[in-house]
Amino acid sequence: MRIGILGTGAVATALGARWANHDLTVAGRSPANTRALADRLGATAATLREAVTNSDVVLLAVRWEGVPDVLAAVGDALRGKTLIDPTNAVEHGVGVLLPGTSAAEFIADRSGARVVKAFHLFPAAQWADATGTTVPLCGDDQDALDTVAELVRDTGATPAVLGPLSRARQVEEVAGFVIGLAFAGVNPNSAVPST
Ligand SMILES: NC(=O)c1ccc[n+]([C@@H]2O[C@H](COP(=O)([O-])OP(=O)(O)OC[C@H]3O[C@@H](n4cnc5c(N)ncnc54)[C@H](OP(=O)(O)O)[C@@H]3O)[C@@H](O)[C@H]2O)c1
């Protein structure tokens, strides 16, 4: 699979390392960070737009505040592409979502991409060995869901399709719940039923 990774931070690094069996292209706003991550992953360094045009699947591993700028830089190249959205548009430490639509639907509206919400619920370190982890997916396009499910399995985790992209807001709320409890010093696992 040809995968374009937008962003050079913790999520880009962790997932890129698990997708070494694929053809990776990395791009970020910093050329130095882009080169450093590309060298680390054995990937190609590119501009944001090149990383999209040279790929079948795109991971948008960018902090929420940078998402509009990155989508603008990429322009119409995302139209019809499979895009993985792991973003959390939450205020860290508070866990409150931004008002309005889900982050995933915002990204789909702006880009025209076939967006799949995935990988947003766990810390990046989880992907080093995600055996026993379930990754919920939301998306409207079956081919895109199948593609992202395969990339979830590459991490050792198991994919579970929750429903269409209209349910992304629900899983984004869960991230707000988890982050809010974690910052309050509570283990979120202790606050949900185990069965
Ligand atoms: N870290 C986690 O454990 C985790 C878990 C689940 C979900 N997420 C979500 O995944 C996404 C990536 O998180 P991360 O932890 O990888 O973040 P990160 O380590 O801070 O890296 C984020 C990337 O976003 C870029 N960026 C930040 N502001 C930008 C802007 N205004 N314009 C363009 N690029 C910008 C950074 O570029 P520079 O290097 O130039 O600053 C960097 O390449 C976020 O939406 C986060 O909420 C993170």
Side-chain angles (χ1 to χ4, degrees), residues 102-166:
S102 68
E105 289 166 296
F106 173 93
I107 291 164
D109 284 347
R110 283 270 173 117
S111 66
R114 299 184 292 165
V115 174
V116 176
K117 188 83 196 183
F119 296 112
H120 73 298
L121 262 179
F122 292 91
Q126 187 83 6
W127 312 123
D129 180 5
T131 308
T133 303
T134 298
V135 175
L137 308 181
C138 293
D140 292 333
D141 184 281
Q142 191 57 51
D143 285 346
L145 286 165
D146 290 346
T147 297
V148 178
E150 186 180 334
L151 293 173
V152 168
R153 287 189 203 97
D154 282 342
T155 71
T158 302
V161 177
L162 181 68
L165 204 62
S166 58

Side-chain angles (χ1 to χ4, degrees), residues 6-13 27-31 33-34 37 48 60-70 85-90 92 118-127 175 179:
L6 308 186
T8 56
V11 171
T13 303
R29 64 176 170 178
S30 154
N33 291 352
T34 299
L37 182 58
L48 291 163
L60 185 61
V62 174
R63 291 184 77 87
W64 178 250
E65 52 268 36
V67 165
D69 285 351
V70 168
D85 168 27
T87 63
N88 281 317
V90 297
H92 283 273
F119 296 112
H120 73 298
L121 262 179
F122 292 91
Q126 187 83 6
W127 312 123
I179 292 168

